[in-house]
Amino acid sequence: MKPTDTPEWKKWPLEAKQRLLQRLRMKNQSAKGPPASPLDLGKLVFGAAYQDGRHTRYLNEQLLNVANGSADRLLVMMPPRHFKSETCSHLFPAWYLGNFPDKRVIVAGYGGTFAEEWGRKARNTLSEFGHLWGVQIDQTSRAADRWDIAGHRGGMYTAGIGTALTGRGADVLVIDDAVKDAASAFSVICRKQAYDWFQSVALTRLSPEGKIIVVGTRWHQDDLIGRILQTSQNDHKADRWHVVNFPALAEANDVLGRQLGEPLFPERYDQAALERIKANLVTEFWWYALYQQRPPAELGGIINIEKLRGFELQGNYCRLYDQLDGGSQVAVIDRTQCTRIVVIDCAATSEDVAAQ
């Protein structure tokens, strides 16, 4: 070939070039051996598009502690879109089962479809890179929500919170984003159902030395993460959790050693980007809950309806009850001792009202 000739591969379509680059990368990795951590696996999976930060590297160390048995309860609070699910529900299960193909992993989330997405990603990643550990996916059991490792006892199962797990065991249980949205977060019933499922179903599926990873964004003081923390604080015999709290903008005693106000993931969301998000959240509640991981009980007009009690006016007296919708009478008060407050909800949710 003459020095001025263009190499043949440079004439290839972009997709063909990308496949060649992937094969070369895999060949180079095969010579090095399997990835040493979930984030090292991420560099193979995402290639040049891969982004990590101080927080994911710190989280990576905590996940390695779970894998090697030095920690068995890990609770992680992170803002949206900061690589928590990719790290904990995709890369970690694939990497863990590559190293421990006889172990069982269950990944659960607010819905079956959401959890299944991570099962599919972990399966596809292990299908592509499993040879680095000498393992492969069992072709007779490779559904996105339930798949096994060929020639081994291990595999992965995914489920929505509230789903029965009868007959399913877990050496590692990952619960990722237990709360779907604000409606679920502010529903007393939904919060209770999630915690009841955690206690009566999820915990009963663990092997004797089973490990739990709970990762999510905070929505409410009484969400699943809040209840887990409260139980741990109230009973010294309950599980001891290693808690990793990642506020979007650093606060005092930051686990990463950040300065006050320093962004968590500047590679994706610098301070200006976070301040813009905060400015667009008219109700500050969501900033402190979703981004700072400190959901307030009440803030700027947000009323904790669980503290409201019912009443009934009768002549010059007001009867007070212990429940919003009635219940037992707890007091009778002279109307002159009562204060009337009018509350107007301008954020109407009725389509009929909104259309007027």
Side-chain angles (χ1 to χ4, degrees):
M1 184 178 69
K2 298 178 181 179
T4 56
D5 289 343
T6 301
E8 186 64 28
W9 66 268
K10 288 193 174 182
K11 303 176 184 178
W12 295 357
L14 178 60
E15 290 186 2
K17 293 178 182 177
Q18 290 175 334
R19 287 195 296 270
L20 174 61
L21 180 61
Q22 179 72 355
R23 287 197 297 270
L24 292 174
R25 189 164 63 241
M26 290 175 62
K27 182 178 180 180
N28 182 53
Q29 182 62 42
S30 296
K32 296 179 180 178
S37 73
L39 287 196
D40 289 323
L41 176 59
K43 294 173 184 178
L44 288 178
V45 173
F46 297 106
Y50 181 76
Q51 280 185 309
D52 68 347
R54 282 184 297 175
H55 71 300
T56 48
R57 291 191 289 272
Y58 183 91
L59 178 57
N60 186 57
E61 294 176 4
Q62 310 315 310
L63 293 172
L64 290 176
N65 289 337
V66 171
N68 65 33
S70 59
D72 65 357
R73 298 292 185 270
L74 176 63
L75 194 155
V76 183
M77 297 173 278
M78 294 175 63
R81 312 302 301 164
H82 277 62
F83 214 60
K84 65 180 184 300
S85 293
E86 289 287 359
T87 303
C88 296
S89 299
H90 168 201
L91 297 175
F92 176 73
W95 178 87
Y96 181 80
L97 289 171
N99 283 280
F100 306 98
D102 289 315
K103 299 294 186 180
R104 305 295 306 183
V105 174
I106 292 179
V107 172
Y110 63 76
T113 301
F114 170 77
E116 183 181 314
E117 174 186 348
W118 303 114
R120 179 179 295 105
K121 287 188 174 185
R123 179 203 62 190
N124 292 348
T125 292
L126 205 55
S127 293
E128 184 173 0
F129 298 101
H131 68 280
L132 298 175
W133 292 280
V135 302
Q136 59 182 346
I137 302 297
D138 187 338
Q139 296 303 303
T140 66
S141 176
R142 62 186 321 274
D145 63 340
R146 58 189 75 188
W147 47 267
D148 298 324
I149 308 296
H152 294 272
R153 299 189 302 274
M156 184 170 174
Y157 182 78
T158 70
I161 289 176
T163 303
L165 297 176
T166 307
R168 304 287 174 181
D171 296 292
V172 175
L173 169 66
V174 180
I175 299 178
D176 183 357
D177 279 336
V179 179
K180 178 182 180 181
D181 51 28
S184 300
F186 281 88
S187 166
V188 177
I189 294 176
C190 288
R191 295 199 305 272
K192 183 178 185 301
Q193 288 175 339
Y195 192 57
D196 286 348
W197 175 87
F198 175 74
Q199 294 181 99
S200 65
V201 177
L203 291 180
T204 66
R205 298 295 92 203
L206 285 177
S207 62
E209 297 181 354
K211 306 169 181 64
I212 308 175
I213 301 167
V214 177
V215 57
T217 295
R218 297 301 307 275
W219 286 80
H220 192 282
Q221 282 190 344
D222 190 45
D223 56 18
L224 179 61
I225 291 177
R227 291 200 178 198
I228 289 173
L229 290 172
Q230 192 65 47
T231 300
S232 180
Q233 292 169 3
N234 290 344
D235 190 342
H236 70 277
K237 295 181 180 179
D239 286 337
R240 302 291 94 188
W241 292 79
H242 179 66
V243 179
V244 178
N245 184 21
F246 287 140
L249 293 177
E251 299 179 342
N253 302 315
D254 184 69
V255 69
L256 299 175
R258 292 178 292 163
Q259 298 298 311
L260 288 176
E262 189 176 347
L264 178 63
F265 199 3
E267 295 84 357
R268 295 194 69 186
Y269 298 98
D270 59 18
Q271 188 161 3
L274 291 173
E275 293 292 352
R276 182 178 180 181
I277 291 172
K278 183 179 180 180
N280 281 298
L281 296 174
V282 179
T283 301
E284 286 187 326
F285 178 94
W286 299 119
W287 170 257
Y288 287 103
L290 302 179
Y291 286 87
Q292 294 302 100
Q293 311 310 306
R294 290 193 292 109
E298 299 180 23
L299 181 66
I302 296 296
I303 298 174
N304 186 348
I305 63 172
E306 296 176 32
K307 294 184 178 180
L308 298 180
R309 298 293 179 261
F311 71 95
E312 180 183 8
L313 294 176
Q314 290 186 344
N316 294 324
Y317 296 94
C318 178
R319 297 182 182 276
L320 302 183
Y321 299 94
D322 62 355
Q323 300 294 328
L324 184 60
D325 57 354
S328 301
Q329 179 177 302
V330 295
V332 178
I333 302 176
D334 190 311
R335 288 185 64 172
T336 61
Q337 302 301 312
C338 298
T339 301
R340 177 173 294 182
I341 299 174
V342 178
V343 178
I344 301 175
D345 183 1
C346 299
T349 57
S350 168
E351 294 181 358
D352 294 337
V353 174
Q356 294 179 5

